[in-house]
Structures are given as structure tokens and as C-alpha cells.
Amino acid sequence: MNNNLILVTGAAGYVGSHCLVELLNNGYDVVVIDNCSNSIQLNGKNMPESLIRVQSITGRKLVNFYQEDINNVTKLEEIFTKHRFVAVMHFAALKAVGESCKIPLDYYHNNVSGTITLLEVMRKYGVKKFIFSSSATVYGHPDYLPIDENHRTGNGCTNPYGRTKYFIEEILKDLCASEKGWCVASLRYFNPVGAHESGEIGEDPQGIPNNLMPYISQVAVRRQPFLKVFGNDFKTADGTGVRDYIHIMDLAAGHSITLENILKKDWSGWNVYNFGAGTGYSVLDV
Ligand SMILES: NC(=O)c1ccc[n+]([C@@H]2O[C@H](COP(=O)([O-])OP(=O)(O)OC[C@H]3O[C@@H](n4cnc5c(N)ncnc54)[C@H](O)[C@@H]3O)[C@@H](O)[C@H]2O)c1
């Protein structure tokens, strides 16, 4: 058995591709599943461009890339039969807050049902170490600041996307409480921004960006004419909204350290970590 083989779902995306660089640089062997619903695949290539570039940045090859959906139980079982994973890192999800309000069932199916399917297959094949991409949106409206991991969750989550993350966390807690052997780390990201220093991979969303940083980048390269700032009367120094941004490579390093820890024998059950910088910047600061 390869004690270094990790399954990474959704690795062709923004966060997953940067984490993949860390994993490959740290000597892990990786199999990727991505349905390519939010990735760029150039004609004739056998994998999304982001993954081709990750391989070129790291000088390492993926063990395998499967263009599959995590809801496809038959395919998942084929993959788990073929490879013996020591852990799963789960990035695959739909993530647009606005869209989730328009097509909530798609979000619940993709994110919640997809995660349950993945966990069921993991359970069947005896793989019980799991790192989950959660979000600070699970905290809803803050009771106090800065928000720590003891803050309550699920109270005032404002959209279906955020609720998918909250529901999945509850499912993971129940699973860890019900059965020995599971070791789960839920990583609650604040606002990941930036790109790998090579500039070869980064955040390049399809259509009009939903987030501030990719929008600003598109204004900088003249893909968008200007940035419209929403809100100027928040109770902040300059009146615009303040957010906690975390550099994507710090986030990636955090995943690698988490993986190292969950692979240790003395880690078990449900574990949760905030991934933020602890400092806020306003829209005008950015
Ligand atoms: N980017 C952020 O600001 C942010 C913040 C908090 C949490 N997250 C979470 O981090 C994870 C990664 O986010 P991202 O920004 O890289 O998004 P992304 O859209 O760039 O990447 C997600 C990847 O998952 C794939 N995917 C989606 N549904 C799938 C399915 N059913 N089966 C297989 N592949 C599927 C997509 O094709 C895409 O490549 C998500 O779970 C997201 O909710 C992101």
C-alpha cells in the first residue's frame, strides 16, 4: 500500500490547484476527481489547464486524473477499488452565493448529497481521514469579533451555499460521534486571495467575478471597465465593508499541515480550524 496516496476532489479549481502544489511539493502522491464544471480544459488536452500547470510548476505528475462527478457512486467505487487512499481532501462544490439562491436544489444536491456519497464510499472502502473545505459563512451573523472556532454556527446563515457548508459540518460531526476511526478536519476559510508566485495558476472565474479580488484583477487588465463599491455607511473606518483575507499559499500550507496531522495516529474525531489572517481590510484598502 502507498502510505502517501491522497484523493483530492475539485482540485482543478482555484483553492484545490494551489493546495495540490503544496501536496506534490511535500511528496504526497495524488489522484484527482473533478467534473470540470468550473475549470478550463483546452481542446485536445486530457486534463484541465490548471492541473497541467500544477504538474509543470512542481515537476511532478498526478497518479491519475478522473473527470468524474462525486455524485456518481459507480465511478467512485471503481476509483476506490483501483487505488488505496490514506486520506481524502474534499474541495469539490458549487460556491456562488447569488446563484445558490436561484438554484438551491442544485446546490444541496451537488454539495450535500455529493459529500454524503463520497463519505459512504470512503466508509465502504475503510478510508476515514477527511479534510473538508468549509467556510466562515457557517458562522452567520457574528455574535462577537474576532470569530473563533467556539462561536456558534448555523445561526443566520444567509444563503443556501452557506447552509450546505453548515449542514455538511453537522453530518460530519454526527458521523464522527457515531463510529470510531473517523478523523475529520473542517477548515473554515475566510477570504482566500492571490495566486502562486509563478503566476501560472490563480483565480480566473468564468463570467463576471462574484468576489472583490478577481474583480479588481479584471479591472487591472481592462477586462472590466471599473469597480463599483457597494455600501459606504458600514460602521468601519472608511464606511466600506471589511473582510479578513488570507493568501492562497498560506491556505495551501495550512492544508498540508492539517494533512500531516490527521495522518498521525493520535488525531481522531471531529476537528475544526478557522483559516483567516485575523486582520480585516476594507474594500477601499484593497
Ligand atoms: N474561494 C473561496 O472564496 C472559498 C471560501 C470558502 C470556502 N470555499 C470552498 O473551497 C472549495 C474550493 O473552492 P474554489 O474557490 O476552489 O472553487 P472552484 O469552483 O474554483 O473549484 C471547485 C472545483 O470543484 C469542481 N466540482 C464542483 N462540483 C463537483 C462535483 N459534483 N464533482 C466533481 N467536481 C466538482 C469544479 O469543477 C471545480 O474545479 C469549495 O468547497 C468552496 O466552497 C471557497
Short mmCIF file of all heavy atoms in Angstrom, two decimals, residues 9-18 33-40 48 50 66-72 90-96 107 109-111 114-115 132-137 161 164-165 168 187-193 202-205 211 248 251 255, ligand 1:
data_model
loop_
_atom_site.label_atom_id
_atom_site.label_comp_id
_atom_site.label_asym_id
_atom_site.label_seq_id
_atom_site.Cartn_x
_atom_site.Cartn_y
_atom_site.Cartn_z
N THR A 9 -10.65 15.92 -4.33
CA THR A 9 -11.79 16.23 -5.20
C THR A 9 -11.79 17.73 -5.49
O THR A 9 -11.41 18.53 -4.64
CB THR A 9 -13.13 15.87 -4.53
OG1 THR A 9 -13.41 16.85 -3.51
CG2 THR A 9 -13.13 14.48 -3.92
N GLY A 10 -12.19 18.09 -6.70
CA GLY A 10 -12.30 19.52 -7.05
C GLY A 10 -10.95 20.22 -7.14
O GLY A 10 -10.86 21.44 -7.01
N ALA A 11 -9.90 19.44 -7.43
CA ALA A 11 -8.54 20.02 -7.41
C ALA A 11 -8.24 20.88 -8.63
O ALA A 11 -7.23 21.57 -8.65
CB ALA A 11 -7.50 18.91 -7.30
N ALA A 12 -9.12 20.84 -9.64
CA ALA A 12 -8.86 21.70 -10.80
C ALA A 12 -9.24 23.14 -10.51
O ALA A 12 -8.92 24.05 -11.28
CB ALA A 12 -9.63 21.17 -12.01
N GLY A 13 -9.94 23.37 -9.40
CA GLY A 13 -10.42 24.72 -9.09
C GLY A 13 -9.37 25.58 -8.44
O GLY A 13 -8.20 25.19 -8.29
N TYR A 14 -9.79 26.77 -8.04
CA TYR A 14 -8.87 27.78 -7.51
C TYR A 14 -8.14 27.28 -6.25
O TYR A 14 -6.90 27.20 -6.23
CB TYR A 14 -9.66 29.06 -7.21
CG TYR A 14 -8.90 30.12 -6.46
CD1 TYR A 14 -7.65 30.55 -6.90
CD2 TYR A 14 -9.44 30.71 -5.32
CE1 TYR A 14 -6.95 31.53 -6.21
CE2 TYR A 14 -8.74 31.70 -4.63
CZ TYR A 14 -7.50 32.10 -5.08
OH TYR A 14 -6.82 33.07 -4.41
N VAL A 15 -8.86 26.94 -5.21
CA VAL A 15 -8.22 26.55 -3.96
C VAL A 15 -7.50 25.20 -4.13
O VAL A 15 -6.34 25.04 -3.73
CB VAL A 15 -9.24 26.47 -2.80
CG1 VAL A 15 -8.55 26.04 -1.51
CG2 VAL A 15 -9.95 27.81 -2.58
N GLY A 16 -8.20 24.25 -4.75
CA GLY A 16 -7.64 22.90 -4.89
C GLY A 16 -6.32 22.89 -5.65
O GLY A 16 -5.38 22.19 -5.26
N SER A 17 -6.23 23.67 -6.73
CA SER A 17 -5.00 23.63 -7.54
C SER A 17 -3.80 24.16 -6.74
O SER A 17 -2.69 23.63 -6.84
CB SER A 17 -5.17 24.41 -8.85
OG SER A 17 -5.54 25.75 -8.58
N HIS A 18 -4.03 25.19 -5.92
CA HIS A 18 -2.92 25.72 -5.11
C HIS A 18 -2.52 24.73 -4.01
O HIS A 18 -1.34 24.57 -3.70
CB HIS A 18 -3.28 27.09 -4.53
CG HIS A 18 -3.29 28.17 -5.58
ND1 HIS A 18 -4.36 28.36 -6.42
CD2 HIS A 18 -2.36 29.07 -5.94
CE1 HIS A 18 -4.09 29.34 -7.26
NE2 HIS A 18 -2.88 29.80 -6.99
N ILE A 33 -10.19 13.89 -8.67
CA ILE A 33 -11.51 13.77 -9.31
C ILE A 33 -12.06 15.18 -9.46
O ILE A 33 -12.13 15.93 -8.48
CB ILE A 33 -12.52 12.99 -8.45
CG1 ILE A 33 -12.04 11.58 -8.19
CG2 ILE A 33 -13.89 12.98 -9.12
CD1 ILE A 33 -13.01 10.78 -7.30
N ASP A 34 -12.45 15.55 -10.67
CA ASP A 34 -13.11 16.84 -10.87
C ASP A 34 -14.05 16.69 -12.07
O ASP A 34 -13.67 16.08 -13.07
CB ASP A 34 -12.05 17.93 -11.14
CG ASP A 34 -12.60 19.34 -10.94
OD1 ASP A 34 -13.57 19.72 -11.64
OD2 ASP A 34 -12.07 20.06 -10.09
N ASN A 35 -15.26 17.22 -11.95
CA ASN A 35 -16.18 17.09 -13.10
C ASN A 35 -16.00 18.23 -14.09
O ASN A 35 -16.71 18.30 -15.09
CB ASN A 35 -17.64 16.98 -12.62
CG ASN A 35 -18.14 18.27 -11.98
OD1 ASN A 35 -17.40 19.26 -11.89
ND2 ASN A 35 -19.38 18.26 -11.52
N CYS A 36 -15.06 19.12 -13.80
CA CYS A 36 -14.71 20.23 -14.69
C CYS A 36 -15.87 21.20 -14.93
O CYS A 36 -15.93 21.86 -15.97
CB CYS A 36 -14.16 19.73 -16.02
SG CYS A 36 -12.65 18.78 -15.78
N SER A 37 -16.81 21.26 -13.98
CA SER A 37 -17.94 22.20 -14.15
C SER A 37 -17.46 23.64 -13.98
O SER A 37 -18.10 24.56 -14.44
CB SER A 37 -19.04 21.88 -13.13
OG SER A 37 -18.53 21.97 -11.81
N ASN A 38 -16.31 23.84 -13.32
CA ASN A 38 -15.80 25.21 -13.17
C ASN A 38 -14.30 25.24 -13.42
O ASN A 38 -13.54 25.79 -12.64
CB ASN A 38 -16.12 25.75 -11.77
CG ASN A 38 -15.96 27.26 -11.70
OD1 ASN A 38 -16.09 27.95 -12.72
ND2 ASN A 38 -15.65 27.78 -10.53
N SER A 39 -13.89 24.61 -14.55
CA SER A 39 -12.46 24.67 -14.87
C SER A 39 -12.30 24.77 -16.38
O SER A 39 -13.18 24.39 -17.13
CB SER A 39 -11.74 23.45 -14.30
OG SER A 39 -12.38 22.29 -14.72
N ILE A 40 -11.13 25.23 -16.77
CA ILE A 40 -10.88 25.44 -18.21
C ILE A 40 -10.10 24.26 -18.75
O ILE A 40 -9.03 23.91 -18.24
CB ILE A 40 -10.08 26.74 -18.42
CG1 ILE A 40 -10.92 27.94 -17.97
CG2 ILE A 40 -9.64 26.90 -19.87
CD1 ILE A 40 -10.16 29.22 -17.85
N PRO A 48 -7.70 19.40 -17.16
CA PRO A 48 -7.86 20.85 -17.16
C PRO A 48 -6.51 21.57 -17.11
O PRO A 48 -5.52 21.04 -16.59
CB PRO A 48 -8.64 21.12 -15.87
CG PRO A 48 -9.24 19.84 -15.49
CD PRO A 48 -8.39 18.76 -16.04
N SER A 50 -5.41 23.98 -15.39
CA SER A 50 -4.83 24.23 -14.06
C SER A 50 -3.97 23.05 -13.61
O SER A 50 -2.89 23.22 -13.04
CB SER A 50 -5.93 24.51 -13.04
OG SER A 50 -6.85 23.44 -13.02
N TYR A 66 -9.32 11.90 -12.92
CA TYR A 66 -10.60 11.37 -13.40
C TYR A 66 -11.58 12.51 -13.58
O TYR A 66 -11.86 13.24 -12.61
CB TYR A 66 -11.19 10.37 -12.39
CG TYR A 66 -10.37 9.14 -12.19
CD1 TYR A 66 -9.47 9.04 -11.13
CD2 TYR A 66 -10.47 8.06 -13.07
CE1 TYR A 66 -8.71 7.90 -10.94
CE2 TYR A 66 -9.70 6.90 -12.88
CZ TYR A 66 -8.83 6.84 -11.82
OH TYR A 66 -8.06 5.70 -11.64
N GLN A 67 -12.08 12.67 -14.79
CA GLN A 67 -13.13 13.67 -15.00
C GLN A 67 -14.47 13.02 -14.66
O GLN A 67 -15.14 12.44 -15.50
CB GLN A 67 -13.14 14.19 -16.44
CG GLN A 67 -14.18 15.29 -16.60
CD GLN A 67 -14.07 16.03 -17.91
OE1 GLN A 67 -13.13 15.83 -18.68
NE2 GLN A 67 -15.04 16.88 -18.19
N GLU A 68 -14.79 13.08 -13.37
CA GLU A 68 -15.98 12.41 -12.86
C GLU A 68 -16.68 13.29 -11.84
O GLU A 68 -16.06 14.17 -11.25
CB GLU A 68 -15.62 11.08 -12.18
CG GLU A 68 -14.98 10.04 -13.08
CD GLU A 68 -15.89 9.53 -14.18
OE1 GLU A 68 -17.11 9.82 -14.14
OE2 GLU A 68 -15.39 8.85 -15.08
N ASP A 69 -17.95 12.96 -11.59
CA ASP A 69 -18.73 13.70 -10.61
C ASP A 69 -18.76 12.91 -9.30
O ASP A 69 -18.93 11.68 -9.32
CB ASP A 69 -20.17 13.86 -11.16
CG ASP A 69 -20.93 14.91 -10.39
OD1 ASP A 69 -21.21 14.68 -9.19
OD2 ASP A 69 -21.23 15.96 -10.98
N ILE A 70 -18.63 13.61 -8.19
CA ILE A 70 -18.62 12.89 -6.90
C ILE A 70 -19.98 12.28 -6.57
O ILE A 70 -20.09 11.48 -5.65
CB ILE A 70 -18.16 13.79 -5.71
CG1 ILE A 70 -18.95 15.09 -5.67
CG2 ILE A 70 -16.67 14.04 -5.76
CD1 ILE A 70 -18.90 15.78 -4.33
N ASN A 71 -21.02 12.65 -7.31
CA ASN A 71 -22.32 12.02 -7.10
C ASN A 71 -22.45 10.69 -7.83
O ASN A 71 -23.45 10.00 -7.67
CB ASN A 71 -23.44 12.96 -7.57
CG ASN A 71 -23.88 13.90 -6.45
OD1 ASN A 71 -24.44 13.44 -5.47
ND2 ASN A 71 -23.57 15.17 -6.59
N ASN A 72 -21.45 10.36 -8.66
CA ASN A 72 -21.51 9.11 -9.43
C ASN A 72 -20.89 7.97 -8.60
O ASN A 72 -19.68 7.72 -8.63
CB ASN A 72 -20.76 9.30 -10.75
CG ASN A 72 -20.92 8.10 -11.66
OD1 ASN A 72 -21.20 6.99 -11.20
ND2 ASN A 72 -20.76 8.31 -12.94
N HIS A 90 -11.37 17.28 0.32
CA HIS A 90 -12.61 17.47 -0.46
C HIS A 90 -12.91 18.96 -0.73
O HIS A 90 -13.42 19.67 0.11
CB HIS A 90 -13.76 16.84 0.35
CG HIS A 90 -15.10 16.95 -0.28
ND1 HIS A 90 -15.31 16.84 -1.64
CD2 HIS A 90 -16.34 17.16 0.27
CE1 HIS A 90 -16.61 16.99 -1.89
NE2 HIS A 90 -17.24 17.19 -0.76
N PHE A 91 -12.55 19.38 -1.97
CA PHE A 91 -12.81 20.76 -2.38
C PHE A 91 -14.05 20.88 -3.28
O PHE A 91 -14.59 21.97 -3.42
CB PHE A 91 -11.63 21.32 -3.19
CG PHE A 91 -10.34 21.37 -2.43
CD1 PHE A 91 -9.38 20.38 -2.58
CD2 PHE A 91 -10.08 22.41 -1.56
CE1 PHE A 91 -8.19 20.42 -1.88
CE2 PHE A 91 -8.88 22.46 -0.85
CZ PHE A 91 -7.94 21.47 -1.02
N ALA A 92 -14.46 19.78 -3.93
CA ALA A 92 -15.50 19.87 -4.97
C ALA A 92 -16.79 20.43 -4.41
O ALA A 92 -17.36 19.88 -3.46
CB ALA A 92 -15.74 18.48 -5.57
N ALA A 93 -17.23 21.53 -4.99
CA ALA A 93 -18.51 22.13 -4.57
C ALA A 93 -18.87 23.24 -5.54
O ALA A 93 -18.02 23.75 -6.28
CB ALA A 93 -18.37 22.73 -3.16
N LEU A 94 -20.16 23.57 -5.54
CA LEU A 94 -20.59 24.82 -6.19
C LEU A 94 -20.47 25.89 -5.12
O LEU A 94 -20.76 25.64 -3.95
CB LEU A 94 -22.04 24.69 -6.68
CG LEU A 94 -22.27 23.65 -7.79
CD1 LEU A 94 -23.77 23.51 -8.06
CD2 LEU A 94 -21.53 24.03 -9.06
N LYS A 95 -20.10 27.13 -5.51
CA LYS A 95 -19.74 28.09 -4.46
C LYS A 95 -20.25 29.52 -4.65
O LYS A 95 -19.84 30.41 -3.91
CB LYS A 95 -18.23 28.12 -4.31
CG LYS A 95 -17.53 28.60 -5.56
CD LYS A 95 -16.15 29.13 -5.31
CE LYS A 95 -15.58 29.73 -6.56
NZ LYS A 95 -14.23 30.26 -6.42
N ALA A 96 -21.12 29.74 -5.65
CA ALA A 96 -21.56 31.12 -5.88
C ALA A 96 -22.80 31.43 -5.03
O ALA A 96 -23.86 30.83 -5.23
CB ALA A 96 -21.85 31.35 -7.36
N TYR A 107 -27.56 23.19 -5.53
CA TYR A 107 -26.51 23.35 -4.53
C TYR A 107 -26.58 22.25 -3.48
O TYR A 107 -25.56 21.67 -3.10
CB TYR A 107 -26.55 24.76 -3.90
CG TYR A 107 -25.72 25.72 -4.71
CD1 TYR A 107 -26.11 26.08 -6.00
CD2 TYR A 107 -24.50 26.19 -4.23
CE1 TYR A 107 -25.32 26.90 -6.78
CE2 TYR A 107 -23.70 27.02 -5.01
CZ TYR A 107 -24.11 27.38 -6.28
OH TYR A 107 -23.31 28.18 -7.05
N HIS A 109 -27.93 19.32 -3.84
CA HIS A 109 -27.60 18.04 -4.46
C HIS A 109 -26.10 17.92 -4.66
O HIS A 109 -25.47 16.93 -4.26
CB HIS A 109 -28.33 17.91 -5.80
CG HIS A 109 -28.01 16.62 -6.50
ND1 HIS A 109 -28.47 15.41 -6.06
CD2 HIS A 109 -27.23 16.36 -7.57
CE1 HIS A 109 -28.00 14.45 -6.84
NE2 HIS A 109 -27.23 15.01 -7.77
N ASN A 110 -25.52 18.93 -5.27
CA ASN A 110 -24.08 18.86 -5.58
C ASN A 110 -23.23 18.80 -4.30
O ASN A 110 -22.36 17.95 -4.16
CB ASN A 110 -23.67 20.08 -6.42
CG ASN A 110 -22.31 19.89 -7.06
OD1 ASN A 110 -22.15 19.16 -8.02
ND2 ASN A 110 -21.30 20.52 -6.48
N ASN A 111 -23.51 19.72 -3.40
CA ASN A 111 -22.61 19.85 -2.24
C ASN A 111 -22.95 18.86 -1.13
O ASN A 111 -22.05 18.16 -0.64
CB ASN A 111 -22.67 21.27 -1.67
CG ASN A 111 -22.15 22.31 -2.66
OD1 ASN A 111 -21.80 21.98 -3.80
ND2 ASN A 111 -22.09 23.57 -2.25
N GLY A 114 -23.53 15.12 -2.70
CA GLY A 114 -22.20 14.71 -3.22
C GLY A 114 -21.27 14.32 -2.08
O GLY A 114 -20.57 13.31 -2.17
N THR A 115 -21.29 15.10 -1.00
CA THR A 115 -20.40 14.78 0.13
C THR A 115 -20.85 13.49 0.81
O THR A 115 -20.02 12.65 1.18
CB THR A 115 -20.37 15.95 1.14
OG1 THR A 115 -19.98 17.13 0.44
CG2 THR A 115 -19.40 15.69 2.27
N PHE A 132 -12.15 18.75 4.98
CA PHE A 132 -13.30 19.37 4.32
C PHE A 132 -13.10 20.87 4.17
O PHE A 132 -12.74 21.56 5.13
CB PHE A 132 -14.57 19.09 5.15
CG PHE A 132 -15.79 19.80 4.64
CD1 PHE A 132 -16.23 19.59 3.34
CD2 PHE A 132 -16.49 20.68 5.45
CE1 PHE A 132 -17.35 20.26 2.85
CE2 PHE A 132 -17.62 21.35 4.97
CZ PHE A 132 -18.04 21.13 3.67
N SER A 133 -13.38 21.39 2.95
CA SER A 133 -13.35 22.83 2.68
C SER A 133 -14.62 23.46 3.20
O SER A 133 -15.64 23.46 2.51
CB SER A 133 -13.34 23.10 1.18
OG SER A 133 -12.15 22.77 0.60
N SER A 134 -14.56 24.00 4.41
CA SER A 134 -15.74 24.70 4.91
C SER A 134 -15.54 26.20 4.71
O SER A 134 -14.64 26.63 3.97
CB SER A 134 -15.98 24.34 6.37
OG SER A 134 -17.23 24.84 6.79
N SER A 135 -16.37 26.97 5.36
CA SER A 135 -16.33 28.41 5.10
C SER A 135 -16.74 29.17 6.35
O SER A 135 -17.55 28.67 7.16
CB SER A 135 -17.32 28.72 3.97
OG SER A 135 -17.58 30.10 3.92
N ALA A 136 -16.22 30.36 6.49
CA ALA A 136 -16.62 31.22 7.61
C ALA A 136 -18.10 31.60 7.53
O ALA A 136 -18.67 32.07 8.52
CB ALA A 136 -15.75 32.48 7.64
N THR A 137 -18.73 31.35 6.37
CA THR A 137 -20.17 31.65 6.26
C THR A 137 -20.99 30.80 7.24
O THR A 137 -22.11 31.16 7.56
CB THR A 137 -20.73 31.38 4.84
OG1 THR A 137 -20.44 30.04 4.50
CG2 THR A 137 -20.17 32.31 3.81
N TYR A 161 -25.89 28.36 -0.19
CA TYR A 161 -24.49 27.92 -0.25
C TYR A 161 -23.93 27.76 1.16
O TYR A 161 -23.37 26.73 1.52
CB TYR A 161 -23.64 28.91 -1.07
CG TYR A 161 -22.16 28.71 -0.82
CD1 TYR A 161 -21.50 27.58 -1.32
CD2 TYR A 161 -21.42 29.62 -0.05
CE1 TYR A 161 -20.15 27.37 -1.05
CE2 TYR A 161 -20.07 29.41 0.21
CZ TYR A 161 -19.44 28.29 -0.30
OH TYR A 161 -18.11 28.08 -0.02
N THR A 164 -25.26 24.82 2.90
CA THR A 164 -24.71 23.50 2.52
C THR A 164 -23.48 23.20 3.37
O THR A 164 -23.28 22.08 3.84
CB THR A 164 -24.33 23.39 1.02
OG1 THR A 164 -23.24 24.25 0.69
CG2 THR A 164 -25.50 23.66 0.09
N LYS A 165 -22.65 24.22 3.62
CA LYS A 165 -21.44 24.00 4.41
C LYS A 165 -21.82 23.67 5.86
O LYS A 165 -21.23 22.80 6.49
CB LYS A 165 -20.54 25.24 4.37
CG LYS A 165 -20.00 25.56 2.98
CD LYS A 165 -18.98 24.54 2.53
CE LYS A 165 -18.52 24.75 1.11
NZ LYS A 165 -17.69 23.67 0.58
N ILE A 168 -23.29 20.11 6.03
CA ILE A 168 -22.24 19.08 5.88
C ILE A 168 -21.46 18.97 7.18
O ILE A 168 -21.14 17.86 7.64
CB ILE A 168 -21.31 19.41 4.68
CG1 ILE A 168 -22.07 19.29 3.36
CG2 ILE A 168 -20.10 18.47 4.68
CD1 ILE A 168 -21.36 19.91 2.16
N LEU A 187 -12.10 22.86 7.68
CA LEU A 187 -11.31 24.10 7.61
C LEU A 187 -12.22 25.22 7.14
O LEU A 187 -12.74 25.19 6.02
CB LEU A 187 -10.13 23.90 6.66
CG LEU A 187 -9.26 22.66 6.98
CD1 LEU A 187 -8.11 22.54 5.99
CD2 LEU A 187 -8.75 22.68 8.41
N ARG A 188 -12.45 26.18 8.04
CA ARG A 188 -13.38 27.28 7.72
C ARG A 188 -12.59 28.45 7.15
O ARG A 188 -11.96 29.21 7.89
CB ARG A 188 -14.14 27.69 8.98
CG ARG A 188 -15.04 26.57 9.49
CD ARG A 188 -15.71 26.96 10.80
NE ARG A 188 -16.56 25.87 11.27
CZ ARG A 188 -16.91 25.70 12.55
NH1 ARG A 188 -16.49 26.55 13.48
NH2 ARG A 188 -17.69 24.70 12.89
N TYR A 189 -12.64 28.57 5.80
CA TYR A 189 -11.87 29.62 5.15
C TYR A 189 -12.58 30.96 5.30
O TYR A 189 -13.80 31.04 5.18
CB TYR A 189 -11.75 29.41 3.64
CG TYR A 189 -11.33 28.05 3.15
CD1 TYR A 189 -11.58 27.69 1.83
CD2 TYR A 189 -10.66 27.14 3.97
CE1 TYR A 189 -11.20 26.46 1.33
CE2 TYR A 189 -10.28 25.90 3.47
CZ TYR A 189 -10.56 25.57 2.16
OH TYR A 189 -10.20 24.34 1.66
N PHE A 190 -11.78 31.99 5.47
CA PHE A 190 -12.33 33.35 5.37
C PHE A 190 -12.26 33.73 3.88
O PHE A 190 -12.90 33.06 3.09
CB PHE A 190 -11.62 34.28 6.36
CG PHE A 190 -12.17 34.04 7.77
CD1 PHE A 190 -11.87 32.88 8.48
CD2 PHE A 190 -13.04 34.93 8.32
CE1 PHE A 190 -12.42 32.64 9.73
CE2 PHE A 190 -13.60 34.70 9.59
CZ PHE A 190 -13.27 33.56 10.29
N ASN A 191 -11.47 34.66 3.45
CA ASN A 191 -11.50 35.03 2.02
C ASN A 191 -10.14 34.76 1.37
O ASN A 191 -9.25 35.61 1.43
CB ASN A 191 -11.86 36.51 1.88
CG ASN A 191 -13.26 36.78 2.41
OD1 ASN A 191 -14.25 36.61 1.71
ND2 ASN A 191 -13.35 37.17 3.68
N PRO A 192 -10.00 33.60 0.71
CA PRO A 192 -8.73 33.29 0.06
C PRO A 192 -8.52 34.22 -1.15
O PRO A 192 -9.44 34.41 -1.96
CB PRO A 192 -8.91 31.85 -0.43
CG PRO A 192 -10.18 31.34 0.15
CD PRO A 192 -11.00 32.52 0.55
N VAL A 193 -7.31 34.78 -1.24
CA VAL A 193 -6.99 35.67 -2.38
C VAL A 193 -5.56 35.40 -2.83
O VAL A 193 -4.77 34.80 -2.11
CB VAL A 193 -7.11 37.17 -2.01
CG1 VAL A 193 -8.54 37.58 -1.78
CG2 VAL A 193 -6.25 37.53 -0.81
N GLY A 202 -4.08 30.68 -10.75
CA GLY A 202 -4.65 31.77 -9.97
C GLY A 202 -6.16 31.67 -9.99
O GLY A 202 -6.70 30.61 -10.29
N GLU A 203 -6.83 32.76 -9.69
CA GLU A 203 -8.29 32.75 -9.68
C GLU A 203 -8.78 33.45 -10.93
O GLU A 203 -8.60 34.67 -11.07
CB GLU A 203 -8.80 33.47 -8.42
CG GLU A 203 -10.30 33.29 -8.23
CD GLU A 203 -10.81 33.90 -6.93
OE1 GLU A 203 -10.11 34.73 -6.34
OE2 GLU A 203 -11.94 33.52 -6.54
N ASP A 204 -9.39 32.68 -11.83
CA ASP A 204 -9.85 33.26 -13.09
C ASP A 204 -11.27 32.76 -13.36
O ASP A 204 -11.48 31.92 -14.23
CB ASP A 204 -8.89 32.86 -14.22
CG ASP A 204 -9.21 33.60 -15.51
OD1 ASP A 204 -9.95 34.59 -15.46
OD2 ASP A 204 -8.71 33.17 -16.58
N PRO A 205 -12.24 33.29 -12.60
CA PRO A 205 -13.60 32.75 -12.72
C PRO A 205 -14.22 33.02 -14.08
O PRO A 205 -13.86 34.00 -14.75
CB PRO A 205 -14.38 33.50 -11.62
CG PRO A 205 -13.59 34.72 -11.33
CD PRO A 205 -12.17 34.41 -11.66
N ASN A 211 -16.40 37.87 -6.47
CA ASN A 211 -15.57 38.30 -5.35
C ASN A 211 -14.73 39.52 -5.72
O ASN A 211 -14.43 39.76 -6.89
CB ASN A 211 -14.66 37.17 -4.88
CG ASN A 211 -15.47 36.01 -4.33
OD1 ASN A 211 -16.58 36.20 -3.84
ND2 ASN A 211 -14.93 34.81 -4.44
N ILE A 248 -3.66 32.70 -0.63
CA ILE A 248 -3.97 31.33 -1.06
C ILE A 248 -2.84 30.35 -0.75
O ILE A 248 -3.09 29.18 -0.42
CB ILE A 248 -4.32 31.31 -2.58
CG1 ILE A 248 -4.87 29.95 -3.02
CG2 ILE A 248 -3.16 31.73 -3.45
CD1 ILE A 248 -6.22 29.62 -2.52
N LEU A 251 -3.09 29.42 2.83
CA LEU A 251 -4.19 28.46 2.96
C LEU A 251 -3.71 27.06 2.54
O LEU A 251 -4.00 26.05 3.19
CB LEU A 251 -5.35 28.92 2.07
CG LEU A 251 -6.67 28.22 2.26
CD1 LEU A 251 -7.45 28.89 3.38
CD2 LEU A 251 -7.51 28.29 0.98
N HIS A 255 -3.39 23.43 4.62
CA HIS A 255 -3.94 22.12 4.25
C HIS A 255 -2.89 21.03 4.41
O HIS A 255 -3.18 19.92 4.85
CB HIS A 255 -4.46 22.14 2.82
CG HIS A 255 -5.79 22.76 2.68
ND1 HIS A 255 -5.98 24.12 2.77
CD2 HIS A 255 -7.03 22.25 2.51
CE1 HIS A 255 -7.26 24.40 2.64
NE2 HIS A 255 -7.93 23.27 2.49
N1 LIG B 1 -12.83 30.55 -2.93
C1 LIG B 1 -13.40 30.95 -1.80
O1 LIG B 1 -13.51 32.15 -1.53
C2 LIG B 1 -13.88 29.93 -0.78
C3 LIG B 1 -14.22 30.35 0.52
C4 LIG B 1 -14.68 29.41 1.44
C5 LIG B 1 -14.81 28.08 1.06
N2 LIG B 1 -14.50 27.70 -0.21
C6 LIG B 1 -14.68 26.29 -0.58
O2 LIG B 1 -13.47 25.79 -1.09
C7 LIG B 1 -13.73 24.79 -2.09
C8 LIG B 1 -13.00 25.15 -3.37
O3 LIG B 1 -13.43 26.45 -3.79
P1 LIG B 1 -12.81 27.14 -5.08
O4 LIG B 1 -12.83 28.60 -4.84
O5 LIG B 1 -11.55 26.47 -5.47
O6 LIG B 1 -13.95 26.77 -6.14
P2 LIG B 1 -13.77 26.33 -7.66
O7 LIG B 1 -15.11 26.42 -8.30
O8 LIG B 1 -12.65 27.08 -8.29
O9 LIG B 1 -13.32 24.80 -7.52
C9 LIG B 1 -14.25 23.77 -7.24
C10 LIG B 1 -13.93 22.62 -8.19
O10 LIG B 1 -14.84 21.56 -7.90
C11 LIG B 1 -15.32 21.00 -9.12
N3 LIG B 1 -16.63 20.41 -8.82
C12 LIG B 1 -17.77 21.04 -8.43
N4 LIG B 1 -18.76 20.16 -8.21
C13 LIG B 1 -18.24 18.92 -8.47
C14 LIG B 1 -18.76 17.60 -8.43
N5 LIG B 1 -20.03 17.36 -8.11
N6 LIG B 1 -17.93 16.58 -8.73
C15 LIG B 1 -16.63 16.79 -9.08
N7 LIG B 1 -16.09 18.03 -9.15
C16 LIG B 1 -16.88 19.08 -8.84
C17 LIG B 1 -15.35 22.16 -10.10
O11 LIG B 1 -15.25 21.76 -11.44
C18 LIG B 1 -14.12 22.98 -9.67
O12 LIG B 1 -12.96 22.60 -10.39
C19 LIG B 1 -15.25 24.76 -2.25
O13 LIG B 1 -15.76 23.71 -1.45
C20 LIG B 1 -15.69 26.10 -1.69
O14 LIG B 1 -17.00 26.06 -1.20
C21 LIG B 1 -14.04 28.59 -1.13
#
